């Protein structure tokens, strides 16, 4: 425990310092920082499934999209306040994750990977075909409103930044405590050795479904924030390349490592903004970086520290 306290304190200080960024940044960089917070949340949600449970999920953008579409449909189509759509987005994405996981959870490795790719393709196709006349087809759903808290509208870039970063802080607390709860320990045992975990009383099927549900729910939260940030939702934001990006962030940053996932997110979404003239090559550069990491540092740039017993 003594080793974890300084790390937690340093992380809290850094996060608090990040909340002060709007004082020093212009509106463009405030927007980029807000997008970073959103993608950090969805990357952390991917890490629950891939990094903690060791399940090859290459369709995680689906749950991100479910959260975004749930908010867009309810807000634009039915006039719900943004914050009222947030629980629906989280629970809806979590339910889809659990229902999808239930029949395929026995699959392993490449077979599970292919199944999740199929889910991503089905989701994008359904959204493009205007599912139920609600999703707007390829054009998506424009014109989302802004969140309102205690009568105050969260509409400026700085306000949206703080809104996103406060929720990122909540997600970081959830992730930090996941390893120390029963579910986190069960996930760790399953990833290391499923047979041995079963002898310890771990219900593999139930635990894997819970991992998918938790990861999907956090992605649904990020989807709502994303929809609010860009004020429109379309299928192009949740295509297969987005799932590949999330998968790569966890691999390159470090599976099961909160700092690693944050570092991977920064490398993918912030660094290209610094070198904007090369931004169109970001997938190529990230692909080269991923190959290099796999060869030179397979545990990731910032690997997971061993937990104190």
């Amino acid at each position: 425990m003594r080793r974890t306290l300084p790390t937690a304190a340093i992380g809290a200080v850094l996060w608090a310092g990040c909340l002060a960024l709007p004082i020093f940044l212009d509106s463009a960089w405030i927007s980029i920082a807000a997008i970073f917070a959103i993608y950090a949340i969805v990357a952390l949600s991917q890490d629950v499934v891939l990094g903690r449970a060791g399940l090859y999920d290459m369709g995680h953008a689906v749950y991100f999209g479910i959260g975004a579409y749930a908010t867009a449909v309810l807000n634009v189509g039915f006039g719900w306040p943004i914050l009222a759509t947030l629980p629906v987005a989280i629970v809806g994405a979590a339910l889809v994750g659990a229902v999808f996981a239930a029949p395929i959870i026995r699959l392993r490795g490449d077979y599970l990977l292919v199944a999740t790719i199929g889910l991503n393709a089905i989701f994008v196709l359904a959204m493009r075909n205007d599912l139920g006349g609600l999703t707007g087809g390829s054009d998506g759903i424009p014109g989302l409103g802004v969140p309102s808290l205690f009568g105050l509208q969260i509409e400026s870039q700085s306000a949206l930044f703080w809104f996103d970063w406060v929720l990122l802080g909540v997600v970081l607390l959830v992730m930090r405590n996941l390893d120390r709860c029963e579910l986190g320990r069960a996930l760790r045992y399953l990833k290391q050795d499923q047979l041995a975990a079963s002898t310890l009383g771990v219900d593999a099927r139930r635990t894997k479904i819970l991992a998918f549900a938790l990861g999907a729910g956090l992605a649904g939260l990020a989807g709502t924030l994303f929809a609010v940030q860009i004020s429109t939702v379309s299928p192009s934001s949740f295509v297969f390349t987005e799932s590949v990006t999330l998968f790569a962030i966890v691999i390159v940053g470090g599976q099961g490592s909160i700092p690693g996932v944050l570092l991977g997110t920064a490398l993918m979404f912030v660094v290209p903004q610094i070198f904007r003239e090369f931004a169109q090559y970001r997938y190529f550069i990230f692909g080269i970086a991923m190959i290099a990491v796999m060869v030179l540092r397979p545990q990731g740039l910032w690997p997971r520290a061993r937990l104190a017993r």
Side-chain angles (χ1 to χ4, degrees), residues 120-166:
N120 206 150
I122 291 170
F123 175 77
V124 173
L125 184 63
M127 297 303 103
R128 285 178 175 166
N129 283 282
D130 195 11
L131 181 66
L134 297 172
T135 62
S138 297
D139 294 331
I141 305 173
L144 272 78
V146 296
S148 178
L149 186 63
F150 304 119
L152 298 176
Q153 288 193 325
I154 306 172
E155 56 183 341
S156 69
Q157 283 299 328
S158 295
L160 287 172
F161 168 91
W162 284 315
F163 182 60
D164 296 338
W165 275 81
V166 166

Side-chain angles (χ1 to χ4, degrees), residues 288-301:
I288 296 297
M290 188 172 180
I291 294 172
V293 168
M294 291 298 95
V295 173
L296 302 175
R297 195 173 175 82
Q299 71 271 36
L301 294 175

Side-chain angles (χ1 to χ4, degrees), residues 23-293:
I23 300 173
F24 308 101
L25 300 178
D26 60 25
S27 59
W29 277 103
I30 292 172
S31 178
I32 291 169
I35 291 291
F36 165 82
I38 294 168
Y39 273 94
I41 292 173
V42 73
L44 288 167
S45 75
Q46 170 84 75
D47 188 55
V48 173
V49 181
L50 174 60
R52 310 300 172 108
L55 302 173
Y56 290 172
D57 178 11
M58 195 69 90
H60 205 72
V62 169
Y63 313 118
F64 188 34
I66 288 171
Y69 269 99
T71 292
V73 169
L74 293 174
N75 176 251
V76 176
F78 298 94
W80 283 37
I82 292 292
L83 292 184
T85 71
L86 192 55
V88 178
I90 295 171
V91 174
L95 286 175
V96 172
V99 170
F100 173 69
I104 69 163
I105 208 64
R106 297 184 185 276
L107 301 176
R108 297 188 183 181
D110 299 343
Y111 298 100
L112 180 60
L113 193 81
V114 171
T116 57
I117 291 173
L119 176 65
N120 206 150
I122 291 170
F123 175 77
V124 173
L125 184 63
M127 297 303 103
R128 285 178 175 166
N129 283 282
D130 195 11
L131 181 66
L134 297 172
T135 62
S138 297
D139 294 331
I141 305 173
L144 272 78
V146 296
S148 178
L149 186 63
F150 304 119
L152 298 176
Q153 288 193 325
I154 306 172
E155 56 183 341
S156 69
Q157 283 299 328
S158 295
L160 287 172
F161 168 91
W162 284 315
F163 182 60
D164 296 338
W165 275 81
V166 166
L167 289 174
L168 172 59
V170 173
V171 173
L172 288 172
L173 288 175
V174 171
M175 296 297 294
R176 183 176 180 273
N177 289 291
L178 177 61
D179 284 323
R180 293 166 175 79
C181 70
E182 181 181 351
L183 175 59
R185 290 192 296 269
L187 291 174
R188 187 164 70 251
Y189 299 153
L190 276 178
K191 184 177 181 181
Q192 293 174 352
D193 190 325
Q194 182 169 323
L195 181 59
S198 299
T199 65
L200 294 173
V202 175
D203 186 333
R205 175 181 171 81
R206 174 178 173 274
T207 303
K208 290 179 180 179
I209 291 175
L210 285 175
F212 262 96
L214 177 58
L218 293 177
L221 164 64
T224 293
L225 301 182
F226 181 76
V228 171
Q229 181 68 33
I230 65 173
S231 73
T232 187
V233 174
S234 67
S236 61
S237 297
F238 313 104
V239 293
F240 177 60
T241 54
E242 290 298 308
S243 291
V244 172
T245 300
L246 296 172
F247 192 93
I249 285 172
V250 176
I251 296 295
V252 171
Q255 296 183 52
S257 168
I258 294 175
V261 173
L262 296 178
L263 175 60
T265 306
L267 290 174
M268 192 62 197
F269 293 102
V270 178
V271 172
Q273 298 300 323
I274 299 174
F275 302 98
R276 292 182 182 180
E277 61 270 27
F278 305 108
Q280 65 269 35
Y281 303 112
R282 69 171 184 168
Y283 288 112
F284 174 76
I285 295 172
F286 202 72
I288 296 297
M290 188 172 180
I291 294 172
V293 168

